[in-house]
Amino acid sequence: MSEGFESCERQYCELSAALLKKTFSVSRLDGEQRRQKISEIKIELDEADTLIRKMDFEVQSLQPNVKAPLLPKLREYRSDLNFLKSEVKRTASKYLQAARNELLEGGMPQASTASQNQRDRLLASTERLNKSGDRIEESKKVMLESEEIGVSLLQGLHQQRQSLLQTDNVLHGMDHKIGRSSGIVTTMSRRMSRNKWIIGSLILLLLLVIAMILYFKLSK
């Protein structure tokens, strides 16, 4: 397993456990403490998201036999993180609704002395801030998705480059073998030509010997 993946996994598990405790402790807080705790949790959720993306990058760079058992674990971590995000969003929505109710019921000392128009403006400002926060979250989500797509494309190009290099190495190996085979055929051809000359010379010599023998026999 990759050391980078193990390091990110260890950090994520520690952060996830801390986030789970903080998420369920928010309901026991009130007012400003609750708001600060939710802001702190959102920051740590972003850190956890970054760790998961790092783990995904490490996994994609591994060999298939090493990558296979890590992918289900990565999906489980993503599922856990999505659950935490939904819990934080639900808690923040409850907190916002409670703040609205307090404003409407005049629970805040400042609001009890303000006019109805001031309350409406305050509620409208709160609503705008909430919508702006949602838009920021959506923008961050789109940015993260774009980054993941870019990483996937780079990994695909890297794998294609590796495939081309392997193909080139195979072709070089075949070319070397063809060159050796051609050299062997050339050597064999030269040997055959030389053997033909030797055999021809022996036959000629043999014919000369036979002719001489016949000559001497006939002359007697």
Side-chain angles (χ1 to χ4, degrees), residues 8 11-12 15 47-56:
C8 292
Q11 294 178 53
Y12 172 78
L15 185 58
E47 294 177 1
D49 207 357
T50 300
L51 287 172
I52 285 182
R53 285 188 286 111
K54 287 181 178 179
M55 282 190 283
D56 183 55

Side-chain angles (χ1 to χ4, degrees), residues 1-17 51 55 73 77:
M1 186 185 298
S2 169
E3 293 183 2
F5 181 89
E6 289 182 345
S7 175
C8 292
E9 183 182 27
R10 183 171 58 255
Q11 294 178 53
Y12 172 78
C13 290
E14 294 174 356
L15 185 58
S16 177
L51 287 172
M55 282 190 283
K73 185 182 293 187
Y77 289 154

Side-chain angles (χ1 to χ4, degrees), residues 122-133:
L122 184 57
L123 286 172
S125 298
T126 303
E127 186 69 23
R128 284 196 300 272
L129 287 173
N130 187 43
K131 290 181 178 179
S132 298

Side-chain angles (χ1 to χ4, degrees), residues 57 60 147-161:
F57 181 79
Q60 296 302 327
E147 184 177 349
E148 289 179 355
I149 291 172
V151 170
S152 298
L153 288 173
L154 287 175
Q155 290 170 349
L157 290 173
H158 177 71
Q159 291 175 354
Q160 291 179 5
R161 180 175 177 272

Side-chain angles (χ1 to χ4, degrees), residues 177-192:
K177 290 179 180 178
I178 291 172
R180 288 182 59 188
S181 301
S182 177
I184 292 171
V185 170
T186 302
T187 302
M188 291 176 64
S189 177
R190 288 175 180 172
R191 287 179 179 176
M192 289 175 65

Side-chain angles (χ1 to χ4, degrees), residues 3-213:
E3 293 183 2
F5 181 89
E6 289 182 345
S7 175
C8 292
E9 183 182 27
R10 183 171 58 255
Q11 294 178 53
Y12 172 78
C13 290
E14 294 174 356
L15 185 58
S16 177
L19 278 169
L20 190 61
K21 291 180 181 179
K22 290 180 181 179
T23 300
F24 288 107
S25 69
V26 168
S27 59
R28 297 194 294 269
L29 301 176
D30 295 319
E32 183 64 20
Q33 288 183 342
R34 180 183 292 176
R35 187 188 67 79
Q36 290 179 355
K37 182 63 69 174
I38 290 175
S39 298
E40 179 182 336
I41 290 173
K42 286 183 177 180
I43 293 172
E44 292 182 355
L45 282 173
D46 290 338
E47 294 177 1
D49 207 357
T50 300
L51 287 172
I52 285 182
R53 285 188 286 111
K54 287 181 178 179
M55 282 190 283
D56 183 55
F57 181 79
E58 291 289 337
V59 166
Q60 296 302 327
S61 63
L62 297 174
Q63 295 296 325
N65 59 330
V66 182
K67 181 195 304 183
L70 298 179
L71 290 175
K73 185 182 293 187
L74 195 57
R75 285 194 293 269
E76 182 180 350
Y77 289 154
R78 283 200 182 99
S79 178
D80 292 342
L81 184 60
N82 289 333
F83 169 75
L84 288 174
K85 287 180 178 180
S86 62
E87 283 295 313
V88 171
K89 189 173 183 179
R90 184 176 60 83
T91 303
S93 298
K94 288 174 62 178
Y95 165 70
L96 180 61
Q97 186 61 41
R100 288 175 179 172
N101 292 337
E102 288 179 0
L103 287 173
L104 292 173
E105 293 172 2
M108 296 177 63
Q110 294 84 352
S112 63
T113 59
S115 64
Q116 184 63 38
N117 290 335
Q118 289 174 328
R119 287 185 181 180
D120 291 341
R121 286 196 297 271
L122 184 57
L123 286 172
S125 298
T126 303
E127 186 69 23
R128 284 196 300 272
L129 287 173
N130 187 43
K131 290 181 178 179
S132 298
D134 290 340
R135 285 196 296 270
I136 290 173
E137 289 297 325
E138 288 296 325
S139 299
K140 288 171 66 178
K141 184 178 179 181
V142 171
M143 182 182 68
L144 292 175
E145 290 176 351
S146 300
E147 184 177 349
E148 289 179 355
I149 291 172
V151 170
S152 298
L153 288 173
L154 287 175
Q155 290 170 349
L157 290 173
H158 177 71
Q159 291 175 354
Q160 291 179 5
R161 180 175 177 272
Q162 292 297 324
S163 299
L164 290 174
L165 288 175
Q166 291 175 359
T167 304
D168 185 61
N169 290 334
V170 171
L171 291 175
H172 277 300
M174 292 177 64
D175 185 59
H176 178 67
K177 290 179 180 178
I178 291 172
R180 288 182 59 188
S181 301
S182 177
I184 292 171
V185 170
T186 302
T187 302
M188 291 176 64
S189 177
R190 288 175 180 172
R191 287 179 179 176
M192 289 175 65
S193 298
R194 186 177 60 188
N195 290 339
K196 286 180 181 179
W197 281 104
I198 292 172
I199 292 171
S201 299
L202 290 174
I203 291 172
L204 182 60
L205 181 60
L206 183 59
L207 291 174
L208 288 173
V209 171
I210 293 171
M212 289 176 66
I213 292 171

Side-chain angles (χ1 to χ4, degrees), residues 210-220:
I210 293 171
M212 289 176 66
I213 292 171
L214 290 174
Y215 173 76
F216 284 117
K217 284 185 176 182
L218 293 174
S219 62
K220 290 179 180 181

